[in-house]
Amino acid sequence: MQSCAYVQANLGAPCRVFLTEDTPLYTVCCVGKHSVAVEIGPQPHGILRADVTLTMKRVVGLLLDFAHLFNTGHELPPTRVDHIFRTKERVNFPRDADGDLKGVIHPSLQDNDWSRLNPGDPIFLTLDEEVITWPGVSSSNEMYVAFVNEAAYYEKNLAFWLCTRESKQVAGLRRGATDVEK
């Protein structure tokens, strides 16, 4: 979390933290004790966007700067991490009895990752142009959406993630300290 706070403080652009602690992921970034993955976008496949490329370069540079500070014994003070989105539920596309897709993301939800979802908000539009709204049934009152309509998730039956939003105070960090918080 300290590395996330460091990037948030130095990036000069929105930086969200997507936590999947309760959701098993089967990716290379999850094999280490403290994994991290950087995703910047959206960016369509086969397209090179300068803004996305430059932001990725800046984030990777900041993460390397953070690792250098830690590895050279610099004490990193207690800090706060904002814009933490913790996964709570997977939402699938509407399907018919045969399992075929019968609806798409509603236009008002498209391109609105990280926004709050309220009960009654439209989430899908069926192929018959029926609007499907979010009932608001969840373990939390405030839910946010993430990775809405990502092409890579179609085969995983994932229309979007429902997340809670939080901030967290993290302890100071110094190499060799025994009371370091995860």
Side-chain angles (χ1 to χ4, degrees):
M1 278 296 173
Q2 268 281 357
S3 64
C4 296
Y6 184 83
V7 171
Q8 284 182 346
N10 292 286
L11 184 60
C15 179
R16 296 165 186 99
V17 177
F18 185 67
L19 289 181
T20 58
E21 296 168 329
D22 301 329
T23 307
L25 297 178
Y26 305 101
T27 60
V28 173
C29 71
C30 298
V31 297
K33 182 177 179 183
H34 300 292
S35 61
V36 65
V38 176
E39 183 169 327
I40 298 172
Q43 177 169 286
H45 295 285
I47 302 295
L48 296 175
R49 289 183 42 175
D51 59 336
V52 173
T53 303
L54 293 173
T55 301
M56 178 62 82
K57 181 179 177 183
R58 180 120 169 87
V59 168
V60 170
L62 287 169
L63 288 170
L64 291 172
D65 291 347
F66 174 84
H68 176 73
L69 289 171
F70 176 75
N71 288 334
T72 56
H74 285 79
E75 185 168 348
L76 300 158
T79 189
R80 184 175 185 81
V81 180
D82 294 314
H83 308 293
I84 300 171
F85 292 86
R86 186 179 301 274
T87 59
K88 292 297 178 186
E89 296 177 35
R90 299 170 53 102
V91 178
N92 191 2
F93 286 95
R95 304 211 177 249
D96 64 20
D98 296 325
D100 295 324
L101 197 66
K102 72 173 193 177
V104 296
I105 295 292
H106 191 277
S108 66
L109 185 59
Q110 183 64 50
D111 301 322
N112 280 307
D113 292 272
W114 317 113
S115 63
R116 184 173 173 186
L117 188 62
N118 298 300
D121 283 352
I123 55 175
F124 297 112
L125 184 62
T126 69
L127 302 178
D128 296 329
E129 298 187 34
E130 174 191 344
V131 174
I132 298 174
T133 61
W134 186 57
V137 179
S138 182
S139 57
S140 171
N141 293 335
E142 289 190 7
M143 297 301 285
Y144 295 80
V145 293
F147 298 103
V148 176
N149 207 21
E150 293 274 337
Y153 294 144
Y154 285 145
E155 66 187 38
K156 296 173 178 63
N157 297 325
L158 179 63
F160 57 87
W161 285 100
L162 282 176
C163 307
T164 55
R165 181 178 173 176
E166 59 191 66
S167 295
K168 181 178 181 179
Q169 191 69 30
V170 293
L173 183 65
R174 190 182 75 216
R175 185 174 183 184
T178 57
D179 57 346
V180 174
E181 180 181 306
K182 288 185 183 180

